[in-house]
């Protein structure tokens, strides 16, 4: 692989910093005035409850609970987390763009363009207004990238520590966050302080990366502050496996569920097509016929996982067909409405949480749902555009393993794992890769534009002089 390097086109000025701060604050303020204190689904309310009553399960990684705890200290409720996730995301993303801008005007245009993509592709806007961990994963991942770019310009221990601190939070928030961040972590280990990185700094970066993985994993095993051991999450994997088995049964017109899971009579082979739903495992398992035959699990998670392995090996084409159907729903590869583009409000709860502006939320969520139905505003278009532009940009940079290269690999790795492990086709599940794609589009356009300007201004220079 070619040498890694840090290749920002310019060092951000103080004016860039001020503009990025104001832009992030403005967008955060406008969103807060519309959806305060943030929309909350079952997942959000569970995390909020555990931030008060204590962590009881790691099926949903507890880091989100701890962020709600911080939010309650700062704002007395969940609204603080809305401000944190929006401001950190937009400020970090705009700061990253500033490193790839040739001037202050281009920096401002890149920041505005990035925000515009959130509304051009409405499932991004529909996700960021909900207090889901998918948003905070991206917020802190981008904060780590911004800290690294700043550290590459002027190394400091505070910035260096911030990189790994933000990465720990991001990776600890979701089990599938690692593929998104891992290529960037490799880049940090290779060039923690840019081209002038010393061996000592590289060793420190490797140690930091190992600590990130260990600490983020430990947060799913022991809760804070009493370090009580949390129950294992094997049942979550088994539920996804059972959903796959149901889908393959529908594909094959054959009951492939493990023996003993059904109460009395087995589900007829031909009935699986009727109630299997690739949009969400809960929609499948809530079907009346399913609950009639499988009122409760009669076998262990190990039995389900063993049957899953046998079925995947025995019916690989149908298994891939089932997982592809989920992917199609997630990315909108179809003519019908995108599944779950946003949440409708705050679910009923015992904490007295309610929307400050329900009419504004209703109007916004209705528009997001309508916008997301457009075939030209589906999130797969943004992903495809990002990868195509990244290939051109990396090629123009002589295939160096840089930030664009790492982010492109992160998108591919995240989507690849999601393909095999997603428990549902909610639009929010591809929010992390969607935001990375949006940022990659803006960065690549900035880089390609700078490359063209350089060739136009210095036509007689050698190819080596054009690289950064």
């Amino acid at each position: 692989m070619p040498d890694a390097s840090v290749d920002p086109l310019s060092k951000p000025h103080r004016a860039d910093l001020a503009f990025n701060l104001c832009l992030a604050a403005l967008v955060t303020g406008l969103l807060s005035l519309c959806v305060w204190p943030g929309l909350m689904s079952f997942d959000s309310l569970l995390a909020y409850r555990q931030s008060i009553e204590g962590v009881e399960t790691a099926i949903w990684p507890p880091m989100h609970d701890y962020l709600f705890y911080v939010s309650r200290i700062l704002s007395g409720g969940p609204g603080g987390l809305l401000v944190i996730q929006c401001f950190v995301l937009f400020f970090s993303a705009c700061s990253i763009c500033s490193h790839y801008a040739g001037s202050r005007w281009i920096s401002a245009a890149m920041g505005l363009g990035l925000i515009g993509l959130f509304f051009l592709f409405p499932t991004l806007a529909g996700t960021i207004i909900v207090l889901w961990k998918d948003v905070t994963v991206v917020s802190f991942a981008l904060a780590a990238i911004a800290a690294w770019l700043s550290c590459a310009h002027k190394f400091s221990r505070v910035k260096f520590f911030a990189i790994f601190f933000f990465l720990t939070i991001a990776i600890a928030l979701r089990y599938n966050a690692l593929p998104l961040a891992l290529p960037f972590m490799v880049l940090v280990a290779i060039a923690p302080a840019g081209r002038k990185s010393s061996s000592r700094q590289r060793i420190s970066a490797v140690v930091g990366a190992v600590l990130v993985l260990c600490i983020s994993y430990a947060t799913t095993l022991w809760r804070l502050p009493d370090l009580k051991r949390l129950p294992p999450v094997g049942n979550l994997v088994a539920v996804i496996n059972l959903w796959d088995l149901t889908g393959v049964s529908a594909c094959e017109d054959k009951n492939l569920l493990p023996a003993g899971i059904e109460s009395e009579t087995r589900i007829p082979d031909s009935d699986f097509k009727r109630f299997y739903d690739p949009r969400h495992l809960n929609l499948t398992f809530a079907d009346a016929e399913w609950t009639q035959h499988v009122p409760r699990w009669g076998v262990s998670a190990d039995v389900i996982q063993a049957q899953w392995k046998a079925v995947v090996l025995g019916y690989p084409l149908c298994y891939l067909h089932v997982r592809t159907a989920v992917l199609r729903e997630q990315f909108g590869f179809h003519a019908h409405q995108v599944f779950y583009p946003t949440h409708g409000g705050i679910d009923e709860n015992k904490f007295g949480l309610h929307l400050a502006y329900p009419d504004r939320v209703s109007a916004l969520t209705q528009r997001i749902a309508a916008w997301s139905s457009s075939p030209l505003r589906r999130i797969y278009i943004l992903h495809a555009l990002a990868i195509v532009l990244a290939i051109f940009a990396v090629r123009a940079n002589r295939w160096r393993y840089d930030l664009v290269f790492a982010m492109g690999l992160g998108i591919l790795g995240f989507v690849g794992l999601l393909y095999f492990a997603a428990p549902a086709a909610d639009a929010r599940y591809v929010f992390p890769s969607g935001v990375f794609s949006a940022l990659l589009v803006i960065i690549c356009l900035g880089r390609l534009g700078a490359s063209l300007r350089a060739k136009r201004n210095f036509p007689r220079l050698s190819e080596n002089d054009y690289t950064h």
Side-chain angles (χ1 to χ4, degrees), residues 62-385:
M63 181 57 71
H64 204 213
D65 310 355
Y66 305 141
L67 292 178
F68 270 119
Y69 177 80
V70 173
S71 175
R72 290 193 296 107
I73 293 176
L74 295 177
S75 66
L81 185 55
L82 175 69
V83 172
I84 291 171
Q85 68 183 31
C86 291
F87 181 82
V88 171
L89 190 154
F90 288 118
F91 176 68
S92 299
C94 291
S95 297
I96 294 168
C97 289
S98 295
H99 287 273
Y100 289 86
S103 70
R104 298 175 186 176
W105 292 108
I106 294 177
S107 175
M110 291 174 73
L112 292 170
L114 176 72
I115 293 171
L117 288 177
F118 270 75
F119 294 92
L120 181 60
F121 297 94
T123 56
L124 295 182
T127 301
I128 199 171
I129 60 177
V130 188
L131 297 176
W132 282 325
K133 61 179 68 70
D134 311 84
V135 182
T136 44
V137 166
V138 182
S139 298
F140 287 99
L142 294 184
I145 295 174
W148 174 71
L149 285 171
S150 180
C151 198
H153 278 299
K154 186 177 181 181
F155 182 86
S156 78
R157 293 181 180 179
V158 173
K159 296 175 185 177
F160 188 69
F161 173 80
I163 297 170
F164 301 101
F165 175 74
F166 293 141
L167 281 173
T168 300
I169 297 176
I171 294 174
L173 277 162
R174 285 203 74 94
Y175 290 113
N176 63 339
L178 180 58
L180 187 74
L182 186 59
F184 168 68
M185 292 174 65
V186 172
L187 180 58
V188 173
I190 296 173
R195 294 180 178 180
K196 299 180 181 180
S197 300
S198 65
S199 298
R200 184 175 181 178
Q201 289 169 335
R202 290 189 177 96
I203 293 172
S204 298
V206 171
V207 173
V210 172
L211 288 175
V212 166
L213 298 177
C214 292
I215 295 173
S216 57
Y217 178 61
T219 63
T220 67
L221 300 179
W222 297 278
R223 73 179 187 185
L224 296 176
D226 59 1
L227 299 181
K228 180 181 178 180
R229 189 70 156 83
L230 294 169
V233 297
N235 284 344
L236 173 62
V237 177
V239 172
I240 299 172
N241 293 159
L242 185 58
W243 190 42
D244 287 340
L245 291 174
T246 308
V248 177
S249 297
C251 176
E252 288 286 341
D253 276 330
K254 182 179 181 180
N255 189 331
L256 297 171
L257 300 182
I261 195 170
E262 292 150 289
S263 56
E264 295 178 1
T265 58
R266 289 177 67 79
I267 301 174
D269 296 344
S270 60
D271 285 5
F272 283 90
K273 282 188 182 295
R274 189 175 70 254
F275 64 77
Y276 170 71
D277 195 324
R279 295 177 300 170
H280 202 296
L281 58 82
N282 286 343
L283 295 177
T284 298
F285 297 152
D287 181 85
E289 184 170 356
W290 173 270
T291 56
Q292 177 185 355
H293 287 271
V294 191
R296 61 181 183 277
W297 288 12
V299 296
S300 67
D302 292 338
V303 172
I304 294 174
Q305 291 170 11
Q307 177 69 1
W308 178 84
K309 293 177 183 177
V311 168
V312 169
L313 294 175
Y315 306 93
L317 294 181
C318 262
Y319 170 70
L320 294 177
H321 172 78
V322 167
R323 297 312 306 183
T324 301
V326 177
L327 184 77
R328 284 171 57 83
E329 292 287 344
Q330 283 172 336
F331 281 87
F333 284 108
H334 47 64
H336 55 266
Q337 175 68 46
V338 171
F339 178 64
Y340 204 8
T342 188
H343 195 63
I346 297 178
D347 290 353
E348 185 178 350
N349 62 88
K350 64 180 181 180
F351 305 107
L353 300 175
H354 60 276
L355 294 171
Y357 314 106
D359 293 339
R360 299 176 190 177
V361 171
S362 177
L364 178 59
T365 54
Q366 287 177 21
R367 287 190 176 94
I368 289 172
W371 293 338
S372 64
S373 64
S374 171
L376 297 179
R377 303 176 75 172
R378 302 294 173 93
I379 198 67
Y380 75 86
I381 297 175
L382 183 60
H383 282 75
L385 183 61

Side-chain angles (χ1 to χ4, degrees), residues 45-59:
L45 289 168
L46 175 63
Y48 190 79
R49 177 176 66 81
Q50 293 196 141
S51 76
I52 298 172
E53 301 175 358
V55 178
E56 299 172 354
T57 176
I59 292 180

